[in-house]
Every structure is written in C-alpha cells, then in structure tokens.
C-alpha cells in the first residue's frame, strides 16, 4: 500500500457542523436464521449484549455470518454517562447471581469458539462487579472447556484487588479500552481517567504475563494524528499486546459529534504504524470495534484449545454419522 497522508486538526471552540456519512460506512444487513436465532436465544435467557445496547454496526455480520456475540453482564444500566456510548445510564438493578450460568449455557448452545464478556460500569458496587466477572469466566470454563474467553471490564474504580479477583479466573485475553486520546478523555469518558486505564492494563500484565492485554481507540472525535501515535506509544509502554482502532459513530444527537470520518486507506496506514510500534496484532477500520474478529486475536495456547475443541466436534460428528 502506498503511504497515505494522515491529517486531522484538533477541535475548535466553534460548534461543529453535521458531516455526512461516507459510502464506506454503509452496513450490509443479514437477518438470516443465525441472526434471528441468536436474538431469540438472548431474550429467552434474559441476557444483554453490547452488540444491541451499544448499537454496534457489526451486529449483522457477527450474528448473521460469524455466529459470535459479546455478552454484557451486570445488567443493562450503567452508572456512567460517557459522551460516546448509547448504553442507558441510571441506577442499576440488584445483582443477578444466576447470570454467569445463563451466559455459560448460551455459549454452549451457540457452540462458540471464543466468547467475549463485557459489562456496564458498576460504580455502586465495592468490587466493581469483579466477582460476577470471575464467576462468569469459571462457569463458561466448566461447560465449555475448549472455548476461549475474552473479558472487557471497566476500570472497576482503579481498585487493584478487584482486578486481581478477575485476573485470578484466568481469561484468555484481558481487554480494557483507552477509548480516546489523553486530551479528549475528560470530555468524552465519564469518571474514567487516561492514566487509570493505562495502569489497569499494566497491572494485569504484571499479574499474569502470559495473558495478552488489549485496548481500543475510537477516532473521529477531534484528535490529531500525533495524539493517536502518542496513545499507541503509551499503550506499548504499558505492555499492551493488541490494539483495535475504529471510527467513532454518534449514537444519538445528545452524544459527542463526529469531527472527521477516516477513510479505509487512512485506517490501513494507522494499522501499519501500530504494527511498527510492536503490537502483536492490530485491527483497524471504519467499522472495527473492540471485540471485532476477537476470535482471531488469542494467543497460541488458546488457539490450541480451540483446535482441540474442533477435533472433538469432528470426532463426535463422525461417531454419530
């Protein structure tokens, strides 16, 4: 690929104008049996998915073609009101202690190779929801020993004991999103801080060096290319292995406006830069989200577990035929 000139001026104080979505952001809808079946299963099990709650643009690809989903535990109401997120904000309901088993049962019914588990921020809980996170990992492991598991928690208040509780359940990937560049963090992320997110990622790597860490960056909020590169450097300085970069899309008129739509070529250039920084893997594109193609990003030992699961299914299929 030829070098692409990257440029994005920072926001001014002037009210930004509405920018028309480019053609490359058009989404192919796929409401086949996989899609409708997964939607029905989620409702029957009384489960939430970030795919629906955050209005992910890839829901039809993931549900309809790849048969993957990202479970959102700890309820559907978040205690934070970030300016980029469509998840409902308010006072959460009581904890549902049966939720981990329902998630595990759904992973089994869906026959997932890779399960992603995220959650709303629960600042009302002393443990930040880490106990339910850990039990969900263990429940999935009990019912689905060959399924790899990625977790995407909030910063859990920056409490290291909460992080330790989650990491001791040994997910295959620890994912925590930096979301945006340092300068824009106070305006875009509620209650979260740039440095707290970096510290969480670093501490997770120190606790279990063999578990890959991952983080995601949205672009199009008014950051400069220099700030994007600075964020890459900060993530690598805190031993983050995997990075995803995607286009910010304004979910409602109440949320932060889109300042710039990056082209596919520009995303390709950002991916090249990220890989030169030393990330083991980088997904970058207009519709890329944190858990996009997450099943391709696990480490070698986790992929071997997936392979063993495939072999077992193959043998079971031969025995039944």
């Amino acid at each position: 690929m030829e070098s692409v000139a990257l440029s994005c001026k920072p926001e001014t104080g002037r009210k930004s104008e509405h920018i028309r979505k480019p053609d490359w952001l058009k989404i192919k809808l796929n409401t086949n049996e996989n899609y409708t079946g997964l939607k029905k299963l989620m409702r029957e099990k009384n489960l939430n998915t970030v795919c629906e709650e955050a209005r992910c643009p890839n829901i039809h690809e993931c549900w309809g073609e790849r048969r993957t989903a990202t479970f959102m535990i700890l309820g559907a109401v978040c205690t934070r009101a970030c300016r980029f997120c469509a998840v409902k904000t308010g006072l959460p309901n009581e904890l549902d202690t049966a939720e981990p088993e329902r998630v595990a049962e759904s992973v089994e019914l869906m026959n997932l190779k890779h399960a992603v588990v995220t959650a709303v921020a629960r600042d009302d809980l002393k443990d930040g929801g880490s106990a339910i996170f850990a039990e969900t990992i263990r429940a999935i492991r009990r019912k689905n020993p060959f399924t790899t598991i990625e977790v995407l928690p909030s910063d859990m208040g920056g409490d290291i004991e909460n992080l330790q509780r989650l990491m001791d359940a040994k997910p295959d990937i620890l994912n925590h999103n930096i979301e945006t560049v340092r300068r824009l963090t106070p305006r875009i992320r509620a209650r979260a801080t740039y440095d707290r997110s970096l510290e969480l990622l670093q501490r997770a790597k120190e606790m279990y060096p063999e578990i890959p860490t991952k983080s995601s960056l949205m672009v199009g909020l008014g950051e400069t290319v220099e700030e994007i590169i600075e964020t890459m450097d900060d993530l690598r300085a805190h031993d983050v292995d995997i990075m995803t970069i995607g286009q910010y899309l304004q979910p409602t008129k109440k949320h932060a406006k889109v300042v710039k739509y990056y082209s596919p070529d520009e995303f390709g250039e950002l991916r090249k830069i990220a890989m030169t920084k030393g990330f083991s893997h980088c997904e970058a594109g207009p519709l890329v989200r944190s858990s996009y193609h997450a099943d391709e990003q696990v480490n070698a030992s986790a992929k071997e577990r997936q392979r063993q699961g495939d072999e077992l299914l193959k043998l079971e299929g031969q025995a039944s035929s």
Side-chain angles (χ1 to χ4, degrees):
M1 180 189 295
E2 295 182 1
S3 179
V4 177
L6 286 164
S7 66
C8 183
K9 296 180 180 179
E11 286 182 291
T12 64
R14 184 178 59 185
K15 184 178 180 180
S16 57
E17 298 177 356
H18 175 74
I19 305 174
R20 183 187 295 273
K21 282 186 182 180
D23 290 340
W24 59 77
L25 283 171
K26 290 181 179 178
I27 301 166
K28 179 183 177 182
L29 301 184
N30 188 346
T31 53
N32 62 15
E33 290 182 2
N34 281 347
Y35 178 87
T36 55
L38 285 180
K39 194 174 186 70
K40 183 173 182 287
L41 176 65
M42 294 301 174
R43 299 296 79 78
E44 288 175 349
K45 293 292 183 181
N46 193 29
L47 294 172
N48 301 299
T49 68
V50 75
C51 317
E52 297 170 290
E53 299 296 335
R55 305 180 188 182
C56 180
N58 302 308
I59 187 170
H60 287 85
E61 177 189 352
C62 294
W63 287 26
E65 297 174 26
R66 297 179 71 93
R67 198 167 174 82
T68 61
T70 300
F71 299 94
M72 189 170 77
I73 61 173
L74 297 169
V77 181
C78 186
T79 54
R80 301 183 185 181
C82 295
R83 293 202 64 214
F84 66 88
C85 184
V87 175
K88 183 180 178 182
T89 302
L91 184 64
N93 296 325
E94 293 183 4
L95 282 180
D96 181 356
T97 56
E99 188 173 44
E101 286 298 328
R102 293 203 308 279
V103 171
E105 289 169 4
S106 297
V107 170
E108 183 178 28
L109 288 170
M110 294 162 65
N111 192 26
L112 295 185
K113 289 183 180 180
H114 185 76
V116 182
V117 181
T118 188
V120 293
R122 291 296 301 263
D123 297 309
D124 58 314
L125 301 175
K126 185 178 180 181
D127 77 342
S130 59
I132 295 291
F133 250 116
E135 183 51 37
T136 301
I137 296 169
R138 289 190 287 265
I140 294 173
R141 288 259 191 266
R142 286 193 295 268
K143 287 186 177 293
N144 311 275
F146 300 111
T147 299
T148 52
I149 304 168
E150 176 175 331
V151 292
L152 175 53
S154 72
D155 58 28
M156 296 180 291
D159 190 304
I160 300 305
E161 290 185 6
N162 292 342
L163 177 61
Q164 186 74 62
R165 187 178 297 110
L166 187 157
M167 293 300 293
D168 285 345
K170 296 186 178 180
D172 292 287
I173 296 179
L174 183 283
N175 184 352
H176 175 72
N177 292 338
I178 199 76
E179 305 292 11
T180 189
V181 300
R182 181 185 292 276
R183 175 176 59 86
L184 297 178
T185 294
R187 184 173 68 84
I188 299 300
R189 301 176 68 195
R191 300 190 188 181
T193 72
Y194 187 86
D195 288 314
R196 184 190 292 168
S197 288
L198 290 174
E199 182 183 8
L200 181 146
L201 290 159
Q202 179 77 70
R203 292 295 187 95
K205 177 59 71 174
E206 291 171 355
M207 291 173 184
Y208 290 93
E210 73 278 11
I211 295 178
T213 52
K214 174 180 172 181
S215 195
S216 182
L217 178 71
M218 298 176 293
V219 295
L221 285 160
E223 67 290 323
T224 65
V225 173
E226 290 76 17
E227 287 175 317
I228 295 174
I229 294 173
E230 178 187 18
T231 303
M232 292 178 183
D233 289 336
D234 287 341
L235 291 172
R236 287 298 300 133
H238 289 77
D239 295 324
V240 175
D241 302 293
I242 301 165
M243 184 179 190
T244 62
I245 309 170
Q247 174 68 51
Y248 167 68
L249 299 175
Q250 184 180 3
T252 74
K253 292 181 179 179
K254 295 180 181 179
H255 290 82
K257 293 183 181 297
V258 176
V259 176
K260 172 184 168 71
Y261 287 112
Y262 287 69
S263 71
D265 284 345
E266 287 178 304
F267 276 107
E269 190 68 16
L270 288 174
R271 182 187 181 280
K272 286 170 60 178
I273 294 171
M275 294 305 292
T276 65
K277 298 292 183 181
F279 291 99
S280 64
H281 188 93
C282 177
E283 289 273 359
L287 296 178
V288 166
R289 294 297 179 265
S290 185
S291 56
Y292 187 65
H293 291 188
D295 55 317
E296 301 173 359
Q297 300 162 18
V298 294
N299 60 20
S301 61
K303 285 181 179 178
E304 174 61 20
R305 184 157 64 251
Q306 290 180 343
R307 188 195 65 78
Q308 291 173 4
D310 288 342
E311 287 294 320
L312 181 62
L313 284 173
K314 184 178 179 181
L315 291 173
E316 290 175 347
Q318 291 173 349
S320 62
S321 62

